[in-house]
Amino acid sequence: MLIKGANVYCDGKFIRKDIAVSGEIFTVYSNDDIVKDYSDAYIIPGLTDIHFHGAMGKDLCDGTKESIEAICEYEAQNGVTQVIPATMTLADEELERIFKAIGEYDGTKGAEFIGVHMEGPYISKDKIGAQNPKYLAMPSLEHFDKYQKLSNNRIKKITIAPEVDGAKEFIKERADEVVISVGHTDCDYDTALEAFDLGARSVTHLFNALNDIKHRSPGVCGAAFDSPEVMVELITDGVHIHPSVIRMIYAMFGDDRVILISDSMMATGLSDGKYSLGGQDVYVKGKKATLESGTIAGSASNLFDCIRYAYSIGVPFESLVKSAAVNSAKEAGIYDKYGSIRVGKYANFVVVDKDLNIIDVYIRGKKIGGVNENN
């Protein structure tokens, strides 16, 4: 397939050029007769969402192939071609069932299922957010290894509060195996900095379920800023973070270190109403999802909607693509095959118009249409 006339995202900027796809990958040239003319459209790498819970009334923690597949299909329709959904803080027997289902999942519909983000139970009761405090646990290598084995080694990222007993030892021992992210934590600057020195390399949804940054106590945000190797997740759904702070974070960290996430829950793609997250009731009105207490409980926006919102408040589209496609693939350890439009990589890409409306989505060189229908 030869794709002509589009503005293609390459190395942080858009260049008008032709690209070729042969089978599943980008190639130097095409030897078939299929020509797609996307004149004046924009082609970007398929997005990778490394932190979300569900969509279309389904949640990863349903622990079923049907739910995972439905989520993957929805994400693909919305430009997310690789997914790393997140678990919640739940009872051991529930987590065992969920990770077993994750390990057995072999679906091929919709977005590619790369692995999971284990969000809890090794977090702080003081920054619990929408997690369930009833099922908190201390970090344990044996405990984690059990879930990793059940998941068939699909745990790619784990959120941990570094002040919790056993956390520092856990970070030191498992930092080479999974991405360890500081989050749901009440820790101060020095404790966060120590966690980063031990091997933590990410911050879970910056500013949410963390201490605020202050001029004499910069907290996790300050420690992350002072640690050049650390990436920060950012939810840009128009609810979690004020527009000024979003622009500020891009000015502070640059677009090399920000990873856009949706943190979407099962209401995403559906109407307002009562839903569930981690076994707790969630009430959705517009973009806002909250527990009965008023605590924000994930988002009701997909990752491409988060891009649109951030673009509307002044963040350059090029920076947003880098944050949602390039940086996320790098952190997930899949950038050798995903996250950019380069010869030899999988042909996962999204075609959009100048108003950021999605025209087409391709996964492994096949156009996704309708309900994951190749055409």
Side-chain angles (χ1 to χ4, degrees):
M1 176 171 60
L2 181 63
I3 298 169
K4 299 177 66 67
N7 299 288
V8 181
Y9 180 85
C10 297
D11 297 323
K13 58 186 177 182
F14 284 97
I15 301 171
R16 189 177 292 277
K17 60 183 289 189
D18 298 341
I19 57 175
V21 174
S22 179
E24 296 186 337
I25 65 171
F26 294 112
T27 58
V28 177
Y29 65 93
S30 173
N31 59 3
D32 60 34
D33 58 359
I34 299 174
V35 177
K36 294 283 187 181
D37 187 349
Y38 285 120
S39 297
D40 299 323
Y42 295 81
I43 293 181
I44 65 173
L47 311 183
T48 301
D49 198 343
I50 63 169
H51 186 164
F52 75 105
H53 299 277
M56 298 301 293
K58 306 295 184 182
D59 191 293
L60 175 67
C61 289
D62 294 341
T64 67
K65 177 178 179 177
E66 292 73 24
S67 287
I68 298 173
E69 208 155 73
I71 292 166
C72 288
E73 288 183 342
Y74 171 83
E75 295 298 327
Q77 294 299 313
N78 288 280
V80 181
T81 58
Q82 301 81 232
V83 296
I84 301 180
T87 56
M88 294 287 289
T89 300
L90 295 164
D92 273 353
E93 58 269 24
E94 279 293 285
L95 289 176
E96 288 175 12
R97 180 182 62 82
I98 291 160
F99 281 111
K100 185 172 185 292
I102 289 165
E104 293 172 350
Y105 181 69
D106 60 357
T108 56
K109 291 185 177 180
E112 296 192 51
F113 186 83
I114 303 299
V116 294
H117 176 167
M118 189 174 174
E119 189 184 11
Y122 312 143
I123 56 179
S124 167
K125 63 180 176 55
D126 297 313
K127 293 292 181 180
I128 197 71
Q131 304 278 342
N132 195 329
K134 194 171 165 184
Y135 302 115
L136 292 177
M138 297 297 105
S140 157
L141 298 177
E142 183 181 1
H143 191 246
F144 169 77
D145 290 345
K146 174 180 67 175
Y147 295 136
Q148 184 67 298
K149 184 177 180 180
L150 285 170
S151 77
N152 195 22
N153 293 315
R154 279 178 156 166
I155 301 174
K156 303 299 182 185
K157 185 171 186 174
I158 181 168
T159 292
I160 195 164
E163 74 272 24
V164 171
D165 288 345
K168 292 172 186 175
E169 293 78 6
F170 184 95
I171 294 169
K172 186 176 179 181
E173 292 295 326
R174 289 293 177 267
D176 290 335
E177 178 183 338
V178 294
V179 174
I180 296 180
S181 190
V182 172
H184 285 278
T185 173
D186 197 37
C187 77
D188 59 13
Y189 172 91
D190 291 330
T191 304
L193 197 63
E194 185 178 1
F196 298 140
D197 288 342
L198 288 169
R201 288 293 177 265
S202 190
V203 176
T204 298
H205 43 50
L206 189 65
F207 288 115
N208 295 108
L210 301 171
N211 285 327
D212 293 335
I213 186 170
K214 296 182 175 66
H215 62 294
R216 282 192 290 272
S217 54
V220 173
C221 183
F225 178 72
D226 285 340
S227 304
E229 71 285 355
V230 172
M231 310 291 282
V232 296
E233 294 181 355
L234 196 65
I235 309 171
T236 58
D237 62 345
V239 174
H240 282 77
I241 306 285
H242 190 280
S244 178
V245 177
I246 293 171
R247 293 187 291 267
M248 188 186 306
I249 291 306
Y250 271 96
M252 285 177 63
F253 288 89
D255 59 14
D256 288 327
R257 296 177 59 195
V258 177
I259 296 177
L260 288 194
I261 63 166
S262 69
D263 201 15
S264 69
M265 45 82 69
M266 65 165 57
T268 304
L270 300 176
S271 58
D272 293 355
K274 181 180 175 181
Y275 297 92
S276 176
L277 180 65
Q280 300 183 92
D281 290 339
V282 177
Y283 301 87
V284 175
K285 186 173 183 181
K287 290 182 177 182
K288 196 169 186 178
T290 61
L291 301 179
E292 192 168 4
S293 65
T295 298
I296 295 176
S299 85
S301 297
N302 63 57
L303 187 56
F304 213 98
D305 280 338
C306 290
I307 285 180
R308 293 186 184 101
Y309 177 77
Y311 181 67
S312 76
I313 62 163
V315 182
F317 186 40
E318 293 86 346
S319 292
L320 296 168
V321 173
K322 194 169 194 178
S323 299
V326 179
N327 297 345
S328 48
K330 286 181 177 179
E331 181 169 279
I334 58 172
Y335 189 64
D336 59 328
K337 292 294 183 183
Y338 303 89
S340 67
I341 299 170
R342 293 193 178 183
V343 172
K345 291 195 176 187
Y346 288 127
N348 289 13
F349 61 98
V350 186
V351 186
V352 301
D353 65 19
K354 63 181 178 59
D355 298 316
L356 306 194
N357 298 305
I358 293 176
I359 299 171
D360 284 317
V361 178
Y362 289 80
I363 294 180
R364 302 267 182 133
K366 293 183 178 180
K367 188 170 77 168
I368 306 303
V371 183
N372 197 63
E373 193 179 306
N374 295 330
N375 51 56

